[in-house]
Amino acid sequence: KHHNVLHLVTCVPAGRLSAGPGAPAGRGRAPPGQHAAYEHILVERRGEGERVTLIQLNRPKSLNALCSPLMSELLEVVHQAEQDPAVGAIVLTGNEKAFAAGADIKEMQDKRFADVYRGSFLAFWGGVAQCTKPVVAAVNGYALGGGCELAMMCDVIYAGEKARFGQPEIALGTIPGAGGTQRLTRAVGKSKAMEMCLTGDMIDAQTAERA
Ligand code: CAA
């Protein structure tokens, strides 16, 4: 679980990831082929024997910005999948425009250092990396800031042609605060990691795969 792998693949058509009719009202594990009713994510069981839990980040208007309620829902489903012997793996995805454009800036903007430090802001995100079942990130569009960090917490990253990875936090006067400086260094090497963190520039899927 210490190294993740990046493959370049053609993305899954968006229609195959959209919510089907008749989604149940209750939270938690969905019946086969159906979504559980979370506010910020869509959850579905897929694959042979319904062994894959597919989680789609679903805040398209804010490019799937990772607000705390979204991350709480995500961690709840990851934890459930981990406990469920019928689940073999988890796939985490977004949409064609964005995997996730980062932590939610609107939620973060008024926080002071002391709030963040005392409240261990973002610490619980690490539950994705600690999951004992394989977690695959299917990335298309923007994977920026916390979105890039979340993808790197997964075991394998499959990137579509439109994927763009970046750590633009420096433009906000902050740093990749959810492990990005360390995970990016392990994933792409120190030089490229430093370049990305210090410039905020994005790289495309081909460059990411080469790196
Ligand atoms: N948080 C909250 N809202 C966000 C967001 C974010 N990270 N990224 C985008 N949005 C919102 C925008 O505010 C906008 O909402 P409104 O329509 O209500 O104004 C909507 O999503 C669409 O965004 P844009 O109009 O900006 O779309 P665009 O196509 O012109 O640009 C983009 C796309 C280049 C990704 C641009 O949205 C952008 O630069 N986003 C911010 C990326 C960023 O800085 N991410 C790092 C966040 S900090 C972080 O993640 C800390 C950490 O280490 C955990």
Side-chain angles (χ1 to χ4, degrees):
K1 300 263 308 179
H2 296 296
H3 304 281
N4 56 12
V5 182
L6 193 139
H7 298 282
L8 184 62
V9 295
T10 307
C11 87
V12 180
R16 287 182 51 199
L17 297 175
S18 61
R27 281 167 68 95
R29 188 179 153 185
Q34 290 191 5
H35 298 279
Y38 288 93
E39 192 179 348
H40 303 297
I41 58 175
L42 301 172
V43 184
E44 204 179 334
R45 292 284 284 273
R46 286 281 187 93
E48 201 176 317
E50 309 279 345
R51 300 251 304 147
V52 175
T53 293
L54 173 66
I55 305 171
Q56 184 181 6
L57 307 176
N58 189 34
R59 293 185 76 205
K61 286 186 185 155
S62 56
L63 305 184
N64 291 331
L66 302 168
C67 60
S68 295
L70 182 154
M71 288 305 297
S72 296
E73 290 183 357
L74 174 61
L75 266 299
E76 185 180 317
V77 174
V78 167
H79 186 65
Q80 280 171 8
E82 200 172 12
Q83 301 298 315
D84 186 344
V87 174
I90 299 163
V91 173
L92 181 56
T93 195
N95 56 49
E96 283 189 40
K97 174 132 195 207
F99 176 74
D104 192 321
I105 296 170
K106 290 162 194 163
E107 183 182 272
M108 284 170 52
Q109 64 188 356
D110 295 328
K111 288 191 188 295
R112 318 298 304 172
F113 173 76
D115 307 326
V116 171
Y117 186 70
R118 249 192 257 116
S120 298
F121 184 57
L122 307 182
F124 74 104
W125 289 26
V128 175
Q130 284 154 16
C131 178
T132 53
K133 292 182 180 174
V135 185
V136 176
V139 176
N140 223 351
Y142 297 114
L144 302 179
C148 187
E149 292 171 309
L150 179 61
M152 290 190 291
M153 285 179 200
C154 299
D155 297 297
V156 180
I157 301 174
Y158 289 107
E161 297 284 350
K162 293 181 188 161
R164 295 288 177 276
F165 298 90
Q167 299 290 167
E169 286 90 342
I170 195 160
L172 302 171
T174 181
I175 65 158
T181 56
Q182 310 306 302
R183 288 198 173 88
L184 194 58
T185 305
R186 293 205 292 272
V188 303
K190 182 198 158 202
S191 173
K192 194 155 268 310
M194 287 293 274
E195 185 187 32
M196 288 172 71
C197 292
L198 293 175
T199 64
D201 289 349
M202 298 181 217
I203 59 172
D204 63 17
Q206 315 271 357
T207 308
E209 187 185 42
R210 274 201 306 277

